[in-house]
Amino acid sequence: MSNIRVPTALRAYTEGQIEVPTKATTVGGALQELADRYPGLAPHLFGSEGQLRPYVNLFVNDQDVRTLAGVQTPLAEGDKLMILPSVAGG
Amino acid sequence: MIGASQLLERRGLIDQVGNTPLIRLEHVTSHLSDAVQVFGKAEWHNPSGSVKDRAAAEILRQALEAGAIRDGRTLLDSSSGNMGIAYATLGAALRIPIRLVVPGTINPVSKQLLQALGVELEISDPLEGSDGARQVAAELAAQHPDRYFYADQYSNPANWQAHYRTTGPEIVRDTQARLTHFVAGLGTTGTFTGAGRWIKEQVPGASIVAFQPNSPLNGLEGLKHLPTSRIPEIFDPTLPDEILEITTEQAHAMARRLAREEGLLVGASAAAAAVAALIVAERLESGTVVAVFPDSGLKYLDESFWRGP
């Protein structure tokens, strides 16, 4: 089991959950599981054709998945997947 | 020890803030009526490269005049990047130490710039975003009231007053009061509130149009999605005639078009401003639309969207 860490800005869509456990074995699988569980979140993560929006920043244990295997990056027991928004405000 | 009045007298760099050019968009507007003009206010012409120099200069000026920065006291604030760079640049020129709390999601180039400018940086939880950084700064200020002047750009009236005093008057002057629509994005909301308020007073017929990202998860650095954010205290909700929602995809496509068709290499928030300005302009038979372009694209060149078609 690994955990998806949800940023403050998205917690309105996850019933306030900060961490959501997942059994998925890849980053993409975990995001799909999250979107299935919280359908209101799906359009923020995925485009109309189901592709992950390119500006969604994803980190596994502090490493940007763009430097790993993208959505194919494997998730192991105890891993933390973070979804990070862009910096807002001034 | 240099006194506040002496600092203000010799404020060379701070006097270079403002009076940025209005640049007419010539090609991405080719489908519009000939009687419609769209201008971007090119805020990267400010000394530190962004619109935030205006707010930083006014916050520093008011704090110096009030004696709030004295005896080696440090200016403390949170920032997502540009405001911090503005504080750091003007603070260096005025020999005022700066401490910033920035979210862990800060753009790497902004972080490098802040380090080069000698700022004391504290990195806050990336999951908590800019509201979390603000919270950490407020706690630091409360713990050490004698050490810091806490500028708090989200609630400091000097933020919007900077734009009421400079950005708004420049736009009215440079359009000879002929603008019909003013467009600005919502971040701290200082630009929109200050310039919008001035324009509303001086050109009562002008429409004041705000825009924000359409989603809390977006790639429009510096802009806030207000429904899921802490609303800045300086925001005046009675001011906007309309609030548009812009997608990151629209802004990224426009950033590429502005670079390739207009020769304007702008950041995603400026590109979003151009998208909003065009949405407004497309409804008009005649009119003059002015949008604020907060910064250039130089800090964001490693982002993948530049490689799109």
Side-chain angles (χ1 to χ4, degrees):
Chain A
M1 189 81 82
S2 43
N3 279 299
I4 305 170
R5 301 197 65 197
V6 181
T8 317
L10 293 182
R11 287 176 199 159
Y13 303 96
T14 60
E15 298 163 2
Q17 295 300 306
I18 299 169
E19 286 205 351
V20 178
T22 177
K23 290 179 180 169
T25 55
T26 63
V27 166
L31 294 176
Q32 193 57 58
E33 198 179 293
L34 187 70
D36 291 343
R37 185 162 168 185
Y38 301 109
L41 197 55
H44 301 288
L45 294 172
F46 301 106
S48 54
E49 290 168 17
Q51 77 285 12
L52 183 68
R53 295 189 186 278
Y55 49 85
V56 175
N57 300 306
L58 300 167
F59 288 74
V60 173
N61 303 330
D62 297 331
Q63 271 203 287
D64 189 334
V65 302
R66 293 185 187 98
T67 66
L68 301 170
V71 292
Q72 302 304 323
T73 302
L75 287 178
E77 178 74 25
D79 278 350
K80 287 191 184 302
L81 167 62
M82 284 201 293
I83 305 169
L84 296 180
S86 284
V87 285
Chain B
M1 185 69 201
I2 298 167
S5 59
Q6 289 165 291
L7 276 173
L8 285 170
E9 279 165 21
R10 50 175 236 189
R11 50 181 187 159
L13 193 65
I14 218 169
D15 284 336
Q16 302 305 313
V17 175
N19 282 310
T20 54
L22 283 184
I23 298 176
R24 184 173 176 183
L25 303 186
E26 309 255 19
H27 304 295
V28 298
T29 54
S30 59
H31 60 299
L32 300 177
S33 154
D34 288 344
V36 176
Q37 297 181 316
V38 179
F39 294 90
K41 190 157 174 63
E43 289 296 300
W44 58 88
H45 285 266
N46 282 303
S48 87
S50 87
V51 66
K52 301 305 292 190
D53 277 1
R54 296 177 186 268
E58 186 66 17
I59 285 172
L60 284 162
R61 190 180 67 76
Q62 291 191 16
L64 284 167
E65 285 177 353
I69 304 175
R70 61 181 187 281
D71 305 329
R73 200 179 269 209
T74 295
L75 182 147
L76 168 69
D77 208 347
S78 62
S79 170
S80 62
N82 278 338
M83 186 61 157
I85 295 165
Y87 282 137
T89 302
L90 301 178
L94 293 168
R95 307 301 300 270
I96 294 169
I98 307 293
R99 184 167 189 190
L100 295 171
V101 183
V102 299
T105 43
I106 188 171
N107 170 326
V109 177
S110 296
K111 188 175 172 185
Q112 288 169 341
L113 283 167
L114 291 169
Q115 288 166 332
L117 288 161
V119 164
E120 192 182 352
L121 271 187
E122 174 138 347
I123 309 293
S124 61
D125 185 344
L127 286 167
E128 303 297 331
S130 53
D131 287 344
R134 186 184 176 196
Q135 181 62 33
V136 172
E139 288 165 8
L140 271 174
Q143 286 162 16
H144 305 287
D146 297 331
R147 193 184 302 172
Y148 298 119
F149 162 65
Y150 178 37
D152 195 18
Q153 57 169 324
Y154 295 94
S155 70
N156 192 328
N159 182 347
W160 71 262
Q161 287 165 358
H163 299 282
Y164 184 83
R165 213 171 56 76
T166 67
T167 318
E170 288 169 29
I171 290 170
V172 173
R173 178 195 69 199
D174 293 346
T175 59
Q176 298 168 317
R178 289 181 190 144
L179 83 159
T180 57
H181 296 77
F182 170 68
V183 176
L186 300 174
T188 68
T189 75
T191 306
F192 176 78
T193 299
R197 201 169 265 165
W198 174 268
I199 290 165
K200 198 89 171 172
E201 287 172 12
Q202 302 299 316
V203 190
S207 291
I208 310 299
V209 180
F211 69 89
Q212 64 180 340
N214 73 321
S215 163
L217 203 57
N218 64 79
L220 304 180
E221 180 166 327
L223 298 176
K224 263 182 180 286
H225 178 253
L226 291 188
T228 54
S229 304
R230 181 174 168 185
I231 306 290
E233 288 83 348
I234 60 173
F235 180 54
D236 178 356
T238 68
L239 193 58
D241 291 306
E242 182 176 10
I243 301 181
L244 298 171
E245 295 203 338
I246 305 299
T247 69
T248 300
E249 289 85 351
Q250 285 175 302
H252 286 172
M254 181 58 74
R256 293 190 294 272
R257 287 195 68 193
L258 289 172
R260 296 163 194 182
E261 297 176 39
E262 303 280 355
L264 295 174
L265 186 74
V266 301
S269 64
V275 172
L278 285 181
I279 289 171
V280 169
E282 282 163 2
R283 302 171 185 157
L284 304 177
E285 290 181 5
S286 66
T288 300
V289 182
V290 175
V292 177
F293 287 2
D295 69 358
S296 86
L298 288 176
K299 290 195 289 290
Y300 318 108
L301 287 178
D302 63 346
E303 293 201 15
S304 59
F305 72 81
W306 293 110
R307 296 190 284 278

